[in-house]
Protein backbone atom coordinates (compact mmCIF):
# COMPACT_ATOMS: atom_id res chain seq x y z
CA UNK A 1 0.00 0.00 0.00
CA UNK A 2 1.96 2.93 -1.32
CA UNK A 3 -0.33 5.57 0.15
CA UNK A 4 0.16 4.34 3.73
CA UNK A 5 3.94 4.37 3.39
CA UNK A 6 3.90 7.91 2.00
CA UNK A 7 1.72 9.07 4.88
CA UNK A 8 4.17 7.56 7.36
CA UNK A 9 7.12 9.28 5.67
CA UNK A 10 5.34 12.61 5.78
CA UNK A 11 4.36 12.20 9.46
CA UNK A 12 7.95 11.41 10.36
CA UNK A 13 9.08 14.39 8.32
CA UNK A 14 6.67 16.62 10.23
CA UNK A 15 8.30 15.68 13.58
CA UNK A 16 11.70 16.84 12.35
CA UNK A 17 10.15 19.92 10.72
CA UNK A 18 8.61 20.90 14.07
CA UNK A 19 11.92 20.52 15.84
CA UNK A 20 13.69 22.58 13.16
CA UNK A 21 11.03 25.29 13.48
CA UNK A 22 11.57 25.43 17.26
CA UNK A 23 15.33 25.57 16.73
CA UNK A 24 15.05 28.52 14.29
CA UNK A 25 12.74 30.33 16.68
CA UNK A 26 15.05 29.80 19.64
CA UNK A 27 18.08 31.04 17.69
CA UNK A 28 16.11 33.86 16.04
CA UNK A 29 17.05 32.58 12.59
CA UNK A 30 14.95 33.32 9.52
CA UNK A 31 14.99 30.22 7.33
CA UNK A 32 13.88 30.33 3.72
CA UNK A 33 13.27 27.22 1.60
CA UNK A 34 13.85 27.84 -2.14
CA UNK A 35 12.01 25.63 -4.59
CA UNK A 36 12.22 25.58 -8.38
CA UNK A 37 12.86 23.47 -11.47
CA UNK A 38 16.50 22.62 -12.28
CA UNK A 39 18.29 25.48 -14.01
CA UNK A 40 16.02 28.32 -12.86
CA UNK A 41 19.03 30.15 -11.42
CA UNK A 42 18.66 29.54 -7.67
CA UNK A 43 22.38 29.24 -7.04
CA UNK A 44 23.18 32.34 -9.10
CA UNK A 45 20.52 34.29 -7.16
CA UNK A 46 22.16 33.11 -3.93
CA UNK A 47 25.67 34.01 -5.10
CA UNK A 48 24.51 37.54 -5.90
CA UNK A 49 22.54 37.76 -2.64
CA UNK A 50 25.61 36.62 -0.72
CA UNK A 51 27.83 39.25 -2.32
CA UNK A 52 25.32 42.03 -1.71
CA UNK A 53 24.41 41.19 1.89
CA UNK A 54 27.36 39.37 3.47
CA UNK A 55 28.69 42.48 5.24
CA UNK A 56 25.23 43.44 6.53
CA UNK A 57 23.80 40.17 7.79
CA UNK A 58 25.02 36.63 8.61
CA UNK A 59 23.76 34.12 6.07
CA UNK A 60 24.46 30.42 5.60
CA UNK A 61 23.26 28.17 2.81
CA UNK A 62 22.20 24.53 2.82
CA UNK A 63 22.44 23.12 -0.69
CA UNK A 64 20.40 20.15 -1.86
CA UNK A 65 21.37 18.25 -4.98
CA UNK A 66 21.09 14.65 -6.14
CA UNK A 67 24.84 14.50 -6.70
CA UNK A 68 27.93 16.76 -6.54
CA UNK A 69 29.14 19.54 -4.28
CA UNK A 70 29.23 22.10 -7.13
CA UNK A 71 26.66 24.51 -5.71
CA UNK A 72 28.05 24.54 -2.16
CA UNK A 73 31.48 25.30 -3.66
CA UNK A 74 30.00 28.23 -5.60
CA UNK A 75 28.47 29.64 -2.40
CA UNK A 76 31.71 29.14 -0.39
CA UNK A 77 33.59 31.16 -3.02
CA UNK A 78 31.43 34.16 -2.05
CA UNK A 79 32.65 33.80 1.55
CA UNK A 80 29.48 32.33 3.03
CA UNK A 81 29.35 29.01 4.90
CA UNK A 82 27.57 26.31 2.91
CA UNK A 83 26.66 22.70 3.64
CA UNK A 84 25.99 20.37 0.73
CA UNK A 85 23.41 17.60 1.10
CA UNK A 86 23.77 14.95 -1.60
CA UNK A 87 20.49 13.08 -1.74
CA UNK A 88 21.99 10.31 -3.96
CA UNK A 89 18.98 10.29 -6.22
CA UNK A 90 16.16 11.48 -3.94
CA UNK A 91 14.24 14.31 -5.55
CA UNK A 92 13.60 16.50 -2.47
CA UNK A 93 15.13 17.40 0.88
CA UNK A 94 13.68 16.05 4.13
CA UNK A 95 13.45 17.88 7.43
CA UNK A 96 15.76 15.30 9.01
CA UNK A 97 18.49 16.15 6.48
CA UNK A 98 18.13 19.80 7.47
CA UNK A 99 18.47 18.90 11.16
CA UNK A 100 21.75 17.13 10.35
CA UNK A 101 23.03 19.97 8.16
CA UNK A 102 22.33 22.53 10.92
CA UNK A 103 24.77 20.63 13.18
CA UNK A 104 27.51 21.51 10.68
CA UNK A 105 26.87 25.26 10.92
CA UNK A 106 27.82 27.75 13.61
CA UNK A 107 24.19 28.71 14.14
CA UNK A 108 24.78 31.07 17.10
CA UNK A 109 26.08 33.67 14.67
CA UNK A 110 23.44 33.30 11.98
CA UNK A 111 20.57 35.59 10.99
CA UNK A 112 19.39 33.77 7.88
CA UNK A 113 19.62 30.19 6.64
CA UNK A 114 18.74 29.65 3.00
CA UNK A 115 17.88 26.13 1.91
CA UNK A 116 18.30 25.55 -1.82
CA UNK A 117 16.06 22.56 -2.38
CA UNK A 118 16.62 19.91 -5.05
CA UNK A 119 15.56 21.22 -8.48
CA UNK A 120 12.01 19.96 -8.81
CA UNK A 121 8.65 21.78 -8.69
CA UNK A 122 6.73 18.69 -7.52
CA UNK A 123 7.48 16.87 -4.25
CA UNK A 124 9.62 19.48 -2.43
CA UNK A 125 6.28 21.25 -1.95
CA UNK A 126 5.05 18.33 0.17
CA UNK A 127 8.02 18.33 2.56
CA UNK A 128 7.86 20.91 5.32
CA UNK A 129 11.46 21.57 6.43
CA UNK A 130 10.49 23.75 9.37
CA UNK A 131 11.32 26.86 7.36
CA UNK A 132 10.07 30.34 8.25
CA UNK A 133 9.21 31.19 4.65
CA UNK A 134 9.19 29.60 1.24
CA UNK A 135 10.38 31.05 -2.06
CA UNK A 136 9.63 29.69 -5.50
CA UNK A 137 11.81 30.63 -8.46
CA UNK A 138 10.49 30.49 -12.02
CA UNK A 139 12.76 31.45 -14.91
CA UNK A 140 11.34 32.89 -18.10
CA UNK A 141 12.95 30.12 -20.20
CA UNK A 142 10.71 27.52 -18.52
CA UNK A 143 7.47 28.91 -19.94
CA UNK A 144 4.56 30.86 -18.52
CA UNK A 145 2.22 27.91 -17.83
CA UNK A 146 3.94 26.63 -14.69
CA UNK A 147 1.55 28.09 -12.09
CA UNK A 148 -1.31 26.09 -13.58
CA UNK A 149 0.79 22.93 -13.92
CA UNK A 150 2.41 23.00 -10.46
CA UNK A 151 -0.10 24.94 -8.35
CA UNK A 152 1.12 23.66 -4.97
CA UNK A 153 4.58 25.15 -5.38
CA UNK A 154 3.07 28.61 -5.96
CA UNK A 155 0.15 28.33 -3.53
CA UNK A 156 2.46 27.54 -0.60
CA UNK A 157 5.15 30.14 -1.31
CA UNK A 158 5.58 33.52 0.36
CA UNK A 159 7.64 34.97 -2.45
CA UNK A 160 7.95 34.33 -6.19
CA UNK A 161 11.11 35.31 -8.02
CA UNK A 162 10.58 35.50 -11.78
CA UNK A 163 14.20 35.15 -12.90
CA UNK A 164 16.01 35.71 -16.22
CA UNK A 165 13.76 38.63 -17.22
CA UNK A 166 16.69 39.80 -19.38
CA UNK A 167 15.79 36.91 -21.74
CA UNK A 168 12.11 37.70 -22.02
CA UNK A 169 12.50 39.61 -25.29
CA UNK A 170 13.63 36.38 -26.99
CA UNK A 171 10.82 34.25 -25.56
CA UNK A 172 7.06 33.83 -25.63
CA UNK A 173 6.79 34.37 -21.91
CA UNK A 174 3.88 36.43 -20.69
CA UNK A 175 4.87 37.92 -17.32
CA UNK A 176 1.35 39.29 -16.74
CA UNK A 177 -0.11 35.81 -17.19
CA UNK A 178 2.28 34.34 -14.62
CA UNK A 179 1.55 37.09 -12.12
CA UNK A 180 -2.20 36.73 -12.65
CA UNK A 181 -2.11 32.91 -12.32
CA UNK A 182 0.13 33.07 -9.25
CA UNK A 183 -2.05 35.65 -7.50
CA UNK A 184 -5.13 33.53 -8.24
CA UNK A 185 -3.49 30.68 -6.31
CA UNK A 186 -2.06 32.88 -3.60
CA UNK A 187 -3.23 36.46 -3.23
CA UNK A 188 -0.58 37.31 -0.61
CA UNK A 189 2.33 36.15 -2.78
CA UNK A 190 5.08 38.75 -3.07
CA UNK A 191 6.43 38.80 -6.63
CA UNK A 192 9.77 40.14 -7.87
CA UNK A 193 10.84 40.27 -11.52
CA UNK A 194 14.58 39.83 -11.48
CA UNK A 195 17.66 39.03 -13.46
CA UNK A 196 20.36 37.59 -11.21
CA UNK A 197 22.71 37.96 -14.17
CA UNK A 198 22.19 41.67 -14.88
CA UNK A 199 21.14 42.58 -11.28
CA UNK A 200 17.85 44.07 -12.50
CA UNK A 201 15.21 43.94 -9.77
CA UNK A 202 17.55 42.27 -7.28
CA UNK A 203 17.50 45.16 -4.80
CA UNK A 204 13.78 44.56 -4.15
CA UNK A 205 14.50 40.93 -3.25
CA UNK A 206 17.42 41.94 -0.98
CA UNK A 207 15.18 44.42 0.84
CA UNK A 208 12.41 41.84 1.22
CA UNK A 209 14.86 39.34 2.72
CA UNK A 210 16.35 41.81 5.19
CA UNK A 211 12.92 43.07 6.25
CA UNK A 212 11.56 39.53 6.54
CA UNK A 213 14.34 38.73 9.01
CA UNK A 214 13.40 41.66 11.25
MG1 LIG B 1 21.65 25.07 -7.73
ZN1 LIG C 1 10.90 13.98 -4.17
Amino acid sequence: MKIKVNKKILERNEDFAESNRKFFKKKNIFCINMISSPGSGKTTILEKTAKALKNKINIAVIEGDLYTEFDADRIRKTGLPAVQIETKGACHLSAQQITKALHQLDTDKLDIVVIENVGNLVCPSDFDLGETARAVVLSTAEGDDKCAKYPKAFAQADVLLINKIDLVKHLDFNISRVKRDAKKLNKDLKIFEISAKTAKGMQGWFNWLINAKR
Side-chain angles (χ1 to χ4, degrees):
M1 286 288 286
K2 204 179 168 201
I3 292 163
K4 262 191 186 158
V5 172
N6 284 344
K7 201 178 162 211
K8 252 196 178 154
I9 289 171
L10 285 174
E11 276 169 9
R12 186 174 149 75
N13 187 74
E14 198 47 46
D15 291 342
F16 281 98
E18 268 317 309
S19 99
N20 291 346
R21 207 174 340 268
K22 277 186 194 144
F23 178 83
F24 292 132
K25 202 163 185 197
K26 191 178 79 188
K27 301 268 184 180
N28 194 24
I29 291 171
F30 181 82
C31 173
I32 186 156
N33 178 9
M34 287 184 102
I35 291 175
S36 82
S37 303
S40 67
K42 291 188 297 304
T43 313
T44 305
I45 293 169
L46 292 178
E47 285 175 313
K48 299 295 171 80
T49 305
K51 283 176 188 159
L53 300 184
K54 68 178 175 186
N55 296 324
K56 297 187 176 113
I57 199 157
N58 292 316
I59 307 176
V61 178
I62 297 172
E63 286 287 346
D65 275 294
L66 274 68
Y67 303 100
T68 77
E69 186 129 353
F70 295 163
D71 286 358
D73 284 339
R74 285 172 63 187
I75 298 299
R76 288 180 195 124
K77 278 194 188 122
T78 70
L80 292 197
V83 177
Q84 181 75 51
I85 299 170
E86 274 192 77
T87 64
K88 307 287 183 195
C91 46
H92 58 268
L93 291 175
S94 71
Q96 187 175 12
Q97 288 172 316
I98 301 304
T99 307
K100 270 192 203 156
L102 287 169
H103 288 310
Q104 296 176 58
L105 290 167
D106 187 358
T107 50
D108 285 338
K109 290 181 185 149
L110 290 178
D111 302 304
I112 294 175
V113 169
V114 184
I115 300 166
E116 184 184 330
N117 217 311
V118 178
N120 172 2
L121 274 178
V122 190
C123 54
S125 302
D126 286 329
F127 285 80
D128 180 5
L129 303 180
E131 71 266 23
T132 325
R134 202 173 272 196
V136 60
V137 182
L138 174 67
S139 68
T140 56
E142 294 166 53
D144 56 15
D145 57 359
K146 293 297 175 288
C147 299
K149 286 189 176 176
Y150 305 96
K152 223 174 183 180
F154 296 86
Q156 295 180 347
D158 299 281
V159 56
L160 164 62
L161 301 174
I162 304 176
N163 191 28
K164 307 190 189 180
I165 51 162
D166 52 308
L167 297 179
V168 85
K169 55 184 179 283
H170 307 291
L171 303 164
D172 294 318
F173 183 91
N174 185 336
I175 293 181
S176 309
R177 176 190 177 184
V178 169
K179 287 164 98 171
R180 195 169 55 238
D181 287 357
K183 285 281 189 183
K184 229 184 270 169
L185 292 164
N186 181 348
K187 68 175 170 42
D188 299 323
L189 187 67
K190 184 79 194 150
I191 303 175
F192 295 103
E193 296 169 32
I194 62 166
S195 167
K197 192 178 161 119
T198 67
K200 193 169 179 194
M202 289 292 277
Q203 193 58 52
W205 154 247
F206 300 154
N207 294 343
W208 181 88
L209 193 58
I210 287 175
N211 285 321
K213 159 61 192 150
R214 282 195 193 116

